[in-house]
Amino acid sequence: MADKNQQTYHPAAANGYSRNDTETGGVDPRELRRQKQKKWALYIIAFVIFQTGIIVLFTFTVMKFRTHKFRVRNSRSFDTFDVQPTTPSFNMRMNTQFGVKNTNFGPFKYGNTTVTFYYRGTEVGSTTLRKSKANFRSTKKVNVPVDLVMPTTLASNADLISDLNSGILPLTSQAKMNGKVEIMFIFKKKRTANMNCTMEVNLSSKALQNIKCK
């Protein structure tokens, strides 16, 4: 009878009660390692995608070589302004401002550049811009005088007589500016810009107006 009344003894846990793995929600250590590996893999993939995006953005913005723009901006004044509609003739010294617009993320260095002015296809003057540079993402303004003198070949030109009497003298300017863009002091590339501008000299107000450049 003593054997029948004897109860089975289960050793108590250290905290006073026992739990199995199901009750404690225990996880296999190998599963934990797999979860951590997946998490790190996602972090690495996200980092690689981020770095790729930065490289692509850098390539298409900072590292992209752009062609500068060379333009006639305006005329600040005329030192000489001698116009004779009846003769006809003109002799002017125009203080002209040119602009070199550089949109690159590095300086643009250009060489000596000659700008030629024409009246209806006939050359009437020219000037030279000395070599210099336009800083990154800026417009360099250069003031240079231009002598505009009527050649003798236009002495009997009917269009010139008409234009001088109307008070408007149409002009065009052309030039080719060669230079080199330098990015991060390492990468260099040659660039050429062509100037092709039209404008008018207002003979009554002695001003340059309606400047349009392509």
Side-chain angles (χ1 to χ4, degrees):
M1 294 296 294
D3 293 337
K4 292 181 179 179
N5 293 332
Q6 190 176 16
Q7 297 179 352
T8 303
Y9 175 75
H10 297 284
N15 57 4
Y17 58 92
S18 63
R19 296 178 300 177
N20 55 33
D21 287 344
T22 304
E23 291 173 338
T24 58
V27 180
D28 190 339
R30 288 175 297 182
E31 181 63 26
L32 286 175
R33 283 196 297 270
R34 281 195 294 268
Q35 291 179 2
K36 288 182 179 179
Q37 289 172 354
K38 289 180 181 179
K39 187 180 294 184
W40 280 109
L42 289 175
Y43 289 155
I44 293 172
I45 292 172
F47 178 76
V48 170
I49 293 174
F50 175 76
Q51 288 294 95
T52 303
I54 293 296
I55 293 172
V56 171
L57 180 65
F58 187 81
T59 301
F60 284 95
T61 56
V62 177
M63 294 301 297
K64 184 177 181 180
F65 289 90
R66 302 172 179 84
T67 301
H68 56 287
K69 295 181 179 179
F70 183 35
R71 302 286 187 263
V72 174
R73 290 176 58 86
N74 56 57
S75 173
R76 304 177 70 86
S77 62
F78 287 84
D79 289 339
T80 303
F81 200 90
D82 182 13
V83 178
Q84 303 295 330
T86 56
T87 309
S89 67
F90 61 83
N91 182 6
M92 297 175 281
R93 166 162 279 200
M94 181 172 64
N95 295 313
T96 312
Q97 184 179 90
F98 299 93
V100 182
K101 186 176 182 180
N102 176 27
T103 57
N104 291 282
F105 284 87
F108 169 70
K109 298 180 181 180
Y110 58 88
N112 293 340
T113 303
T114 299
V115 183
T116 306
F117 287 79
Y118 300 88
Y119 167 76
R120 297 191 183 279
T122 300
E123 182 178 338
V124 294
S126 64
T127 190
T128 299
L129 278 70
R130 299 301 178 188
K131 64 180 181 179
S132 185
K133 74 173 182 177
N135 292 323
F136 74 98
R137 298 190 67 80
S138 66
T139 299
K140 183 177 180 62
K141 301 172 184 176
V142 184
N143 297 313
V144 183
V146 182
D147 289 319
L148 302 173
V149 180
M150 188 202 79
T152 55
T153 54
L154 293 175
S156 59
N157 189 291
D159 289 331
L160 178 60
I161 298 173
S162 176
D163 289 333
L164 294 180
N165 284 318
S166 70
I168 298 294
L169 183 67
L171 297 174
T172 59
S173 65
Q174 294 180 359
K176 178 180 288 187
M177 176 175 277
N178 300 312
K180 186 179 295 184
V181 178
E182 183 179 288
I183 295 180
M184 298 179 66
F185 306 102
I186 300 175
F187 305 101
K188 299 179 181 180
K189 197 165 187 178
K190 294 181 179 180
R191 280 288 182 263
T192 299
N194 294 313
M195 173 197 285
N196 189 0
C197 300
T198 61
M199 64 207 77
E200 298 172 344
V201 178
N202 190 312
L203 303 181
S204 58
S205 62
K206 298 181 180 180
L208 193 64
Q209 63 186 28
N210 294 333
I211 303 172
K212 298 177 182 179
C213 296
K214 298 179 180 179

